[in-house]
Amino acid sequence: MKVLIIIVVLINVIGCSMQPTNDRQPKSTLETTTKSSHSQNFKERVPIGTWEGISRSGAEFKVLKIMPNNQHSLTSYNIASGMQFQKSVSFTNKDIECDKFDCHIYTHTADGKLPLKITLTKFVDQDYLVTEAVWLASEKIHSTSYGLKTVKATTTPERFIAQETEKLTAIASIHKNKRFGYWSGILEISNEDQLKFATLDYQPGQEATFTVYTPGLPYQVKMNFKPEWLKQNNGELITKLKGAPFASEMTFRFPLKDMIKGDFEQRFERYPERLISNGNFSLFRVKPLEDYKLPKWLKPLLQKLE
């Protein structure tokens, strides 16, 4: 009788072990589940919206757009050219994979030649820390990182292009030498991580305008100075500023014909010995579009290096 009971128990145990469980799903079911979870993560971690920021590497203004029509893009505007040049990479939901920490976008460089991985890491609120990694033809990886701020209105490059293109084109074609012209570059405030986009409209006989654009903000800050305010000091030009919310004095240096290096500081008006803030900037002369074209003899040499 004991032997019979043992046999019955063994049969039940073996029978239970042969039953399919929820943990053993067919491959097609697993793939469907995975894609579904990625879709949910995409909606949660990369919401529809627009972000912008500045990459120090290459001096580029970046704009990330996640669109409801599933046609997304990351556009890079060349700051030194006054936003006259831009390149864009595109991707869709299927190119995005998210985990608990990051979202990874797998696409190609703007020319379509090299694999590009864009990693979005949630930073503060809806802001992102971005890392771009390009797999080079030499089988080495080139990477760069920058921050992006969420944008609720028109992006800074779009606003700048609409407002300033006509002016900078006219100025660039006239002033190709000396200190006058339209200048464009990057400004950095000490003890702040975020870079800012800055321009200088400097023409003879006119009040000069120094403008600062902060990524994520729908407005720009303008500061002015008159040419007669400029004072020479050991090869530098120093001027006070009018209408300046974060700088009361600015210094310009001209290390190269087409470059300005400078710094600024803000002090209490009543107590000038007290420093409120300070920083530095690098500006490049904006040239006419035709001046950026490569000479014919250089193109085949660059193609060989690709």
Side-chain angles (χ1 to χ4, degrees):
M1 187 67 178
K2 290 182 179 179
V3 174
L4 181 60
I5 292 173
I6 292 172
I7 292 173
V8 171
V9 171
L10 288 174
I11 291 174
N12 289 334
V13 170
I14 294 172
C16 290
S17 65
M18 295 176 64
Q19 294 296 321
T21 66
N22 292 333
D23 294 334
R24 299 182 179 181
Q25 301 177 20
K27 183 179 179 181
S28 59
T29 305
L30 283 175
E31 289 178 347
T32 303
T33 303
T34 302
K35 290 179 180 179
S36 175
S37 63
H38 279 165
S39 176
Q40 292 174 359
N41 279 336
F42 173 78
K43 292 179 181 178
E44 179 184 349
R45 296 182 62 81
V46 190
I48 303 301
T50 303
W51 295 260
E52 65 179 18
I54 295 173
S55 172
R56 190 188 301 275
S57 177
E60 294 180 322
F61 203 112
K62 303 280 188 174
V63 175
L64 173 67
K65 290 188 176 183
I66 304 297
M67 307 298 289
N69 63 358
N70 193 27
Q71 299 300 314
H72 319 308
S73 65
L74 176 65
T75 304
S76 303
Y77 296 84
N78 184 272
I79 290 177
S81 70
M83 307 287 191
Q84 293 183 94
F85 295 97
Q86 64 186 73
K87 55 186 178 180
S88 183
V89 297
S90 58
F91 54 95
T92 62
N93 292 3
K94 65 180 180 61
D95 301 314
I96 303 175
E97 294 182 1
C98 292
D99 55 36
K100 292 181 180 180
F101 300 96
D102 311 294
C103 280
H104 307 282
I105 302 167
Y106 297 91
T107 181
H108 288 82
T109 52
D111 57 11
K113 295 181 179 180
L114 299 173
L116 170 63
K117 178 183 177 181
I118 304 168
T119 300
L120 305 178
T121 303
K122 201 72 169 292
F123 191 53
V124 180
D125 297 328
Q126 292 298 319
D127 299 340
Y128 288 105
L129 175 64
V130 182
T131 301
E132 291 186 33
V134 179
W135 183 262
L136 304 174
S138 61
E139 297 190 350
K140 294 182 180 180
I141 296 176
H142 175 266
S143 63
T144 181
S145 298
Y146 50 89
L148 291 181
K149 293 282 188 179
T150 184
V151 180
K152 300 299 183 183
T154 306
T155 67
T156 297
E158 291 170 339
R159 193 171 74 248
F160 173 80
I161 290 171
Q163 295 174 354
E164 297 293 310
T165 296
E166 185 175 349
K167 179 194 294 184
L168 73 83
T169 301
I171 297 174
S173 62
I174 298 172
H175 303 291
K176 297 185 178 182
N177 294 298
K178 299 183 179 180
R179 296 169 180 168
F180 302 112
Y182 198 102
W183 303 78
S184 176
I186 294 174
L187 180 143
E188 184 175 12
I189 298 178
S190 298
N191 301 320
E192 285 191 16
D193 294 329
Q194 187 181 30
L195 300 176
K196 300 176 186 291
F197 169 50
T199 64
L200 173 63
D201 178 358
Y202 184 27
Q203 301 180 65
Q206 298 184 25
E207 191 172 70
T209 301
F210 194 98
T211 308
V212 179
Y213 301 79
T214 301
L217 296 182
Y219 55 84
Q220 58 270 13
V221 175
K222 291 183 180 292
M223 297 165 282
N224 304 95
F225 63 90
K226 296 180 179 180
E228 56 265 29
W229 294 354
L230 291 167
K231 296 180 180 180
Q232 288 274 2
N233 183 21
N234 295 325
E236 301 177 343
L237 289 176
I238 302 175
T239 180
K240 60 182 180 179
L241 297 169
K242 182 175 66 176
F246 67 84
S248 54
E249 185 176 280
M250 191 166 285
T251 302
F252 300 94
R253 306 176 189 90
F254 296 80
L256 299 172
K257 182 184 71 172
D258 296 326
M259 176 185 288
I260 296 176
K261 288 279 190 177
D263 52 56
F264 61 91
E265 59 182 31
Q266 174 75 304
R267 294 181 179 274
F268 282 102
E269 186 174 353
R270 294 182 62 183
Y271 307 99
E273 69 278 5
R274 296 184 182 179
L275 181 65
I276 302 174
S277 66
N278 65 304
N280 60 80
F281 54 88
S282 297
L283 303 176
F284 303 88
R285 184 192 305 278
V286 177
K287 303 176 183 179
L289 283 174
E290 57 270 16
D291 288 1
Y292 291 102
K293 294 181 180 179
L294 293 173
K296 292 182 179 180
W297 60 267
L298 183 58
K299 290 182 181 179
L301 293 179
L302 294 176
Q303 290 173 352
K304 289 181 181 180
L305 296 175
E306 293 180 351

